Amino acid sequence: MPASLFDLSDEIAVVIGGTGGLGGAMAHALADAGARVAVVGRSAERGSQRVAAIESQGGKAMFQSADALSPDSLAAARDRITTEWGTPTVLVNAAGGNHPQATLPPGADFCDLPLDAWRHVFDLNLVGGVLLPCQVFGKVMLSAGRGSIVNIASMSGMIPLSRVVAYSAAKAAVINLTQFLAREWATRGIRVNAISPGFFPAEQNRALLYNEDGSLSERGSQIIGHTPMARFGKPEELGGAIVWLASPAASSFVTGQNIVVDGGFSSVTI
Ligand SMILES: NC(=O)c1ccc[n+]([C@@H]2O[C@H](COP(=O)([O-])OP(=O)(O)OC[C@H]3O[C@@H](n4cnc5c(N)ncnc54)[C@H](O)[C@@H]3O)[C@@H](O)[C@H]2O)c1
């Protein structure tokens, strides 16, 4: 029995999209639990800020630049992390988000949804968000015979939300691909799970949730009205779920699951 079910000091975690709001908070939580954390993303400035924040609290972190949509760039980041620290044991896929043109304006017709925007959202959330990182990092984790992969899906991947149709459909595919990989790799030492956040204000959804003056948008109010906890989530509230799923001691028999962190949004109809 390990000293603590939630001690991650043997883990080397990679957080793709750790430059963003939710990925950054999960990187912090993993580092707080003792993991060495590689923050991976496109912005060196934001990545370095995240690393500095983790280090200022006594955690161990590094930034590696990569574009999740480029297999070569992901492989280069993987190789640099492996050289410096060893084979990653935890992969968090938190690069993703919506595209303004893939959100139907109020009253607009689905038939007019631009194909380019649809493809952009599927590429980002499914291809760069899950497929490529799982292939690139999965290869070395499979060779090592141990690891935990956590894909960040969305509550809207289970219940399609109005207007954000491409995003909801892409996240549904993320949940399905998570289940596929869980079965595929279950006997090879790799667990694959998803976390589905509800509504957490972040860069990619701020314009949908708030008006320019900072007040709640009509949609933001509707969402809070439908959330039993009557508020949005705070990024650090994903910390418990990510540390649990990353921990080989705490979640050793958990794979193929979709853990919903949404203040109860998806549990009620009215
Ligand atoms: N915020 C929410 O309410 C919410 C709800 C459900 C799911 N999610 C999901 O959580 C994840 C994180 O989103 P967030 O809300 O923190 O948004 P965010 O925009 O703050 O973070 C996303 C990060 O991904 C990075 N990224 C985008 N494309 C990339 C690429 N090609 N290569 C590398 N990095 C790339 C961005 O630069 C950004 O740092 C996403 O998958 C999002 O869909 C968010």
Side-chain angles (χ1 to χ4, degrees):
M1 192 73 171
S4 159
L5 282 176
F6 302 101
D7 175 6
L8 299 185
S9 50
D10 287 340
E11 308 307 316
I12 297 168
V14 174
V15 183
I16 302 185
T19 42
L22 302 192
M26 289 187 281
H28 260 286
L30 292 165
D32 286 348
R36 281 175 282 173
V37 179
V39 172
V40 175
R42 295 171 304 180
S43 163
E45 190 187 345
R46 288 169 54 179
S48 305
Q49 283 168 0
R50 184 60 68 182
V51 167
I54 290 172
E55 287 176 338
S56 74
Q57 294 183 3
K60 295 190 194 76
M62 70 158 100
F63 171 70
Q64 289 294 340
S65 159
D67 179 348
L69 286 161
S70 156
D72 290 347
S73 150
L74 286 170
R78 175 201 64 196
D79 293 347
R80 289 191 298 267
I81 295 163
T82 305
T83 302
E84 197 140 330
W85 283 346
T87 302
T89 61
V90 176
L91 171 66
V92 181
N93 284 318
N98 205 355
H99 184 281
Q101 282 172 348
T103 299
L104 286 170
D109 196 310
F110 170 73
C111 298
D112 298 326
L113 189 75
L115 179 59
D116 283 355
W118 176 279
R119 284 193 169 134
H120 174 98
V121 170
F122 263 70
D123 263 1
L124 175 57
N125 290 282
L126 190 57
V127 178
V130 178
L131 170 69
L132 296 177
C134 284
Q135 287 183 323
V136 168
F137 285 87
K139 198 165 265 188
V140 293
M141 292 167 108
L142 286 164
S143 296
R146 100 168 177 95
S148 169
I149 297 176
V150 183
N151 299 320
I152 307 308
S154 169
M155 195 279 309
S156 66
M158 304 180 306
I159 306 169
L161 293 173
S162 63
R163 298 178 50 202
V164 291
V165 51
Y167 181 75
S168 298
K171 290 301 194 183
V174 167
I175 295 168
N176 190 281
L177 182 52
T178 299
Q179 293 168 323
F180 170 83
L181 286 174
R183 178 167 55 195
E184 193 77 0
W185 290 345
T187 56
R188 300 177 67 188
I190 312 297
R191 297 179 298 108
V192 189
N193 292 288
I195 291 178
S196 281
F199 296 90
F200 293 68
E203 215 167 275
Q204 49 97 6
N205 60 10
R206 204 164 294 277
L208 219 54
L209 303 179
Y210 293 102
N211 299 315
E212 275 176 17
D213 64 6
S215 60
L216 277 178
S217 65
E218 190 186 341
R219 193 172 173 88
S221 301
Q222 283 171 343
I223 288 165
I224 289 190
H226 183 85
T227 304
M229 289 193 182
R231 64 174 175 84
F232 295 134
K234 297 178 224 150
E236 59 273 21
E237 290 181 301
L238 296 174
I242 194 67
V243 169
W244 171 57
L245 290 174
S247 166
S251 58
S252 54
F253 201 46
V254 180
T255 198
Q257 300 307 303
N258 178 34
I259 308 304
V260 183
V261 183
D262 69 351
F265 185 98
S266 58
S267 66
V268 295
T269 50
I270 310 183

